[in-house]
């Protein structure tokens, strides 16, 4: 089985983001970028499945501008076999991204598409579900555990009331939660080897996908910060403040 | 303008956050239809019909719809979205499973986590764990949106909508429900509780979390946790508050042994009053807390418990 893994380039999760002065977007120029954390878990799971003999090839896909090449090179260095970059001026919105992934999946015919459950930039949490819809495939979402046997994935999905266990037939789209695994890092010898791995560049036009935006961003603001509070000396002062000032307890 | 709102339920009771969805729907549309998808869930449709602000309830019952499997449920939402201007659902795990799939089937770009309506096609939503707010305008004919229930005041009062049962439902055969592992808890639901007592890695163990459970009982509060506490195995995943967990906005949020990672703050910063108890005076949680107490939680919690007697 072939596994397709999508990887997104986002601002490093440990960086505090700031809005551009013209309020058009969050500033990304000169900001440290990284692979979306959930995509790291998706890639890790695919590599483990290859090591377990479930898969024989792991293909990584990224959609976006030229800087995605770096993220794909990282994915190859971590262990993916082959990379596909679908070059788009800016990161397309989830529906357009799902259409691009669908078009690539139709060319590649993977048994499973592993994706991160959401990008930590746009926080949409849509692209996996939309890709599954467009392909007409099953979906296993926010997985903290996934086991493959006989063409069926048994997954533990993190939902509001706890854990939901489902079985999804392949081909399917699976999305990773952080508790799925602990992602490995690239080692120096593998970074060197990654440079020789196959790398293909495509465009939405070549895939016959209309990647235009449906949402127009009018303005991006920084939310008003919470006014700084006070330190209380002890529990007695805390309880008195909660009762008499905030009036939140009886 | 006509809105379709998708009802969240367990085939028996309606989740309380539907009232916030009705409030949002009334801001974008003048007619509101509620859609109940499930199995043996007539009672849910009847209860929905008795909520103010809903004009009509549509009910689809089928064995393949019993467990909310998206492959079976989303096509019904996509079909029922025809002729609507908006499809709304409370943001949460169920909406994340259903709405993007339904929106893609209808060729619409969904809008996640709406926190304000500026116009019927213009909405405010958070990005980057709430560190930025984007105002977006949709060019789609049907706006699929998940809305943050904490951002809209629940509609009050009763209604008397008609219930129409429509046929539908089929098993795609792709995905099978095996079991639900729910943690039994006597506490109120995290997302609608007035008070939340939440613990982090600083709590130290599952046994120590009992101190928080006891305090929560005293305050009729829900119990939450940071990702670190869930990862450490102190509490189950459904306790998690944060960017990828639950979003809460209670009157009082008591953060105990929580350092205050931005991903956690994203899930609770709209609480009316935030209390932080942490032994590290430099913990970032103090920057957003209304009342900060630098203390060892094993000393502070019993004192707090005693002070509330």
């Amino acid at each position: 089985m072939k596994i397709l893994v999508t990887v997104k380039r986002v601002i490093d999760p440990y960086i505090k983001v700031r809005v551009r002065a013209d309020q058009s977007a969050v500033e990304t120029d000169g900001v440290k970028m990284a692979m979306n954390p959930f995509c790291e878990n998706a890639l890790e799971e695919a590599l483990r499945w290859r090591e377990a003999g479930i898969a024989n090839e792991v293909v990584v896909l990224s959609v976006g501008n030229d800087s995605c090449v770096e993220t794909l090179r990282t994915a190859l260095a971590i262990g993916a076999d082959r990379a596909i970059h679908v070059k788009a001026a800016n990161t397309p919105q989830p529906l357009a991204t799902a259409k691009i992934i669908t078009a690539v999946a139709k060319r590649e015919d993977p048994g499973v598409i592993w994706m991160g459950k959401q990008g930590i930039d746009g926080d949409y949490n849509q692209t996996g579900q939309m890709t599954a819809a467009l392909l007409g495939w099953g979906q296993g979402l926010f997985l903290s555990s996934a086991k493959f046997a006989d063409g069926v994935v048994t997954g533990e999905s993190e939902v509001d009331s706890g854990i939901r266990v489902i079985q999804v037939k392949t081909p399917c789209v699976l999305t990773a939660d952080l508790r799925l695994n602990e992602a490995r890092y690239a080692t120096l010898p593998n970074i060197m080897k990654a440079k020789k791995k196959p790398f293909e560049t495509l465009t939405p036009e070549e895939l016959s996908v209309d990647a235009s935006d449906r949402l127009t961003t009018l303005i991006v603001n920084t939310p008003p910060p919470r006014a700084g509070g006070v330190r209380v000396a002890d529990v007695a002062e805390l309880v008195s403040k909660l009762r008499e000032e905030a009036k939140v307890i009886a | 303008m006509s809105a379709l709102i998708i009802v969240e339920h367990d085939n028996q009771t309606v989740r309380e956050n539907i009232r916030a969805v009705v409030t949002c729907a009334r801001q974008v549309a003048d007619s509101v239809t509620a859609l109940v998808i499930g199995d043996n869930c007539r009672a849910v449709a009847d209860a929905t019909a008795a909520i103010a602000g809903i004009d009509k309830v549509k009910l689809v019952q089928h064995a393949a719809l019993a467990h909310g499997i998206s492959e079976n449920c989303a096509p019904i939402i996509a079909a029922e979205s025809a002729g609507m201007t908006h499809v709304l659902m409370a943001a949460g795990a169920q909406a994340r499973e259903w709405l993007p799939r339904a929106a893609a089937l209808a060729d619409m770009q969904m809008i996640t986590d709406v926190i304000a309506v500026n116009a019927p096609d213009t909405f405010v939503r958070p990005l980057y764990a709430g560190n930025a707010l984007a105002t977006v305008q949709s060019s789609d004919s049907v706006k699929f949106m998940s809305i943050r229930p904490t951002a809209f005041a629940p509609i009050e009062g009763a209604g008397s909508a008609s219930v129409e049962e429509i046929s539908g439902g089929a098993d795609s055969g792709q995905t099978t429900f095996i079991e639900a592992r729910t943690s039994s808890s006597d506490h109120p639901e995290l997302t609608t509780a007035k008070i939340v007592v939440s613990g982090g890695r600083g709590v130290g163990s599952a046994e120590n979390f009992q101190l928080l459970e006891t305090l929560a009982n005293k305050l009729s509060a829900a119990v939450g946790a940071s990702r670190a506490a869930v990862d450490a195995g102190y509490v189950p995943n459904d306790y998690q508050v944060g960017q990828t967990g639950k979003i809460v906005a209670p009157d009082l949020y008591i953060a105990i042994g929580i350092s205050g990672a931005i991903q956690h703050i994203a899930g609770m910063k709209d609480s009316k009053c935030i209390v932080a108890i942490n032994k590290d005076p430099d913990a970032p949680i103090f920057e957003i807390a209304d009342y900060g107490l630098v203390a060892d939680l094993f000393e502070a919690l019993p004192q707090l418990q005693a002070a509330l007697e």
Side-chain angles (χ1 to χ4, degrees):
Chain A
M1 175 171 80
K2 183 194 288 183
I3 301 179
L4 182 65
V5 181
T6 58
V7 291
K8 188 176 192 186
R9 185 177 171 83
V10 297
I11 292 180
D12 184 290
Y14 299 102
I15 301 276
K16 188 161 171 53
V17 300
R18 61 192 163 82
V19 173
R20 281 184 190 152
D22 65 3
Q23 296 190 309
S24 62
V26 164
E27 186 61 79
T28 51
D29 287 351
V31 175
K32 189 182 175 207
M33 305 295 281
M35 188 187 296
N36 182 47
F38 297 100
C39 301
E40 292 182 324
N41 297 104
L43 175 60
E44 175 65 32
E45 198 67 11
L47 296 176
R48 289 184 189 190
W49 285 23
R50 190 189 61 196
E51 286 156 5
I54 297 165
N56 49 21
E57 190 183 25
V58 174
V59 180
V60 281
L61 164 67
S62 192
V63 180
N65 64 23
D66 285 332
S67 64
C68 294
V69 171
E70 192 188 323
T71 309
L72 286 167
R73 292 278 176 213
T74 303
L76 292 173
I78 291 170
D81 299 299
R82 184 156 67 82
I84 301 169
H85 176 207
V86 178
K87 205 168 156 175
N90 289 303
T91 307
Q93 290 170 354
L95 180 62
T97 305
K99 288 179 180 177
I100 290 168
I101 298 168
T102 298
V104 171
K106 285 184 174 160
R107 289 163 57 122
E108 294 287 337
D109 195 28
V112 165
I113 305 178
W114 263 113
M115 303 174 65
K117 77 166 181 179
Q118 79 188 65
I120 59 158
D121 47 1
D123 280 340
Y124 282 105
N125 199 321
Q126 297 181 6
T127 310
Q129 297 88 314
M130 288 183 154
T131 304
L134 297 176
L135 286 165
W137 291 3
Q139 62 187 37
L141 307 178
F142 343 124
L143 298 178
S144 55
S145 158
K147 305 236 178 333
F148 176 91
D150 303 325
V152 175
V153 178
T154 302
E156 295 188 357
S157 187
E158 299 206 347
V159 297
D160 290 352
S161 56
I163 297 284
R164 198 166 64 140
V165 184
I166 49 159
Q167 285 188 332
V168 193
K169 284 184 190 158
T170 56
C172 60
V173 174
L174 304 175
T175 74
D177 213 323
L178 296 177
R179 278 181 278 273
L180 180 63
N181 54 43
E182 193 161 334
R184 71 191 72 183
Y185 298 102
T187 58
L188 191 60
N190 285 337
I191 292 169
M192 302 309 289
K193 270 194 261 178
K195 291 179 180 157
K196 298 201 182 83
K197 288 181 177 175
F199 196 109
E200 186 182 7
T201 306
L202 296 166
T203 62
E205 294 71 35
E206 286 172 303
L207 295 165
S208 308
V209 172
D210 172 9
S212 55
D213 288 347
R214 304 286 188 85
L215 303 176
T216 308
T217 299
L218 304 180
I219 190 167
V220 177
N221 301 110
T222 305
R226 279 189 79 93
V230 296
R231 296 281 171 106
V232 293
D234 50 32
V235 167
E237 187 187 353
L238 175 63
V239 170
S240 124
K241 292 270 190 197
L242 291 178
R243 279 200 176 120
E244 278 138 45
E245 198 172 80
K247 297 184 172 32
V248 284
I249 58 170
Chain B
M1 297 284 176
S2 10
L4 182 70
I5 62 172
I6 315 301
V7 179
E8 227 183 307
H9 61 87
D10 58 1
N11 291 316
Q12 290 163 32
T13 48
V14 180
R15 205 161 161 186
E16 191 60 19
N17 60 21
I18 193 68
R19 288 180 177 270
V21 182
V22 174
T23 300
C24 183
R26 286 271 149 204
Q27 291 177 15
V28 294
D30 37 35
S31 120
V32 176
T33 302
L35 178 62
V36 175
I37 299 173
D39 190 32
N40 285 322
C41 57
R42 179 81 204 190
V44 171
D46 290 339
T48 305
I51 293 171
I54 295 174
D55 301 299
K56 185 177 181 181
V57 178
K58 284 189 171 181
L59 168 66
V60 192
Q61 302 185 96
H62 190 284
L65 308 175
H67 300 291
I69 294 295
S70 186
E71 291 82 330
N72 303 343
C73 298
I76 297 169
I77 299 172
E80 290 298 319
S81 74
M84 296 287 170
T85 55
H86 298 78
V87 176
L88 300 92
M89 192 167 174
Q94 189 73 85
R96 290 195 283 265
E97 297 225 7
W98 286 5
L99 270 201
R101 193 168 177 112
L105 293 175
D107 194 31
M108 301 292 162
Q109 174 56 62
M110 177 188 160
I111 306 145
T112 303
D113 283 343
V114 168
I115 57 166
V117 173
N118 289 4
D121 64 350
T122 307
F123 315 100
V124 181
R125 64 175 302 266
L127 310 173
Y128 293 93
N131 286 295
L133 300 177
T135 303
V136 295
Q137 186 170 30
S138 167
S139 61
D140 279 334
S141 57
V142 187
K143 281 85 177 156
F144 280 74
M145 37 207 282
S146 67
I147 68 117
R148 285 257 176 102
T150 52
F152 298 89
I155 194 164
E156 288 177 16
S160 55
S162 59
V163 177
E164 178 198 354
E165 180 151 8
I166 54 175
S167 62
D171 190 353
S172 76
Q174 288 163 318
T175 301
T176 312
F177 170 83
I178 304 297
E179 62 166 327
R181 279 188 229 139
T182 52
S183 45
S184 58
S185 166
D186 302 331
H187 302 295
E189 198 201 354
L190 196 47
T191 55
T192 49
K194 295 269 184 239
I195 301 179
V196 173
V197 176
S198 210
R201 201 196 296 277
V203 175
S205 70
E207 294 71 43
N208 292 345
F209 243 87
Q210 273 307 319
L211 288 170
L212 278 71
E213 301 272 355
T214 311
L215 178 64
N217 285 339
K218 187 83 224 160
L219 293 167
S220 301
V223 181
S226 69
R227 179 161 82 83
V230 177
D231 283 350
Y234 304 165
V235 286
N237 70 289
D238 51 301
Y239 280 50
Q240 187 173 324
V241 171
Q243 180 183 19
T244 69
K246 286 179 181 154
I247 308 293
V248 303
D251 291 342
L252 174 60
Y253 188 90
I254 307 178
I256 298 164
I258 291 178
S259 63
I262 53 169
Q263 291 80 7
H264 183 75
I265 289 172
M268 47 66 87
K269 69 184 167 64
D270 294 324
S271 304
K272 287 196 190 76
C273 178
I274 297 173
V275 169
I277 302 175
N278 202 303
K279 66 180 175 190
D280 174 9
D282 298 321
I285 191 82
F286 286 123
E287 288 166 29
I288 60 142
D290 297 284
Y291 303 110
L293 174 62
V294 180
D296 185 320
L297 64 97
F298 301 104
E299 289 169 20
L301 284 192
Q303 288 174 17
L304 189 52
Q305 184 79 23
L308 296 169
E309 291 297 337

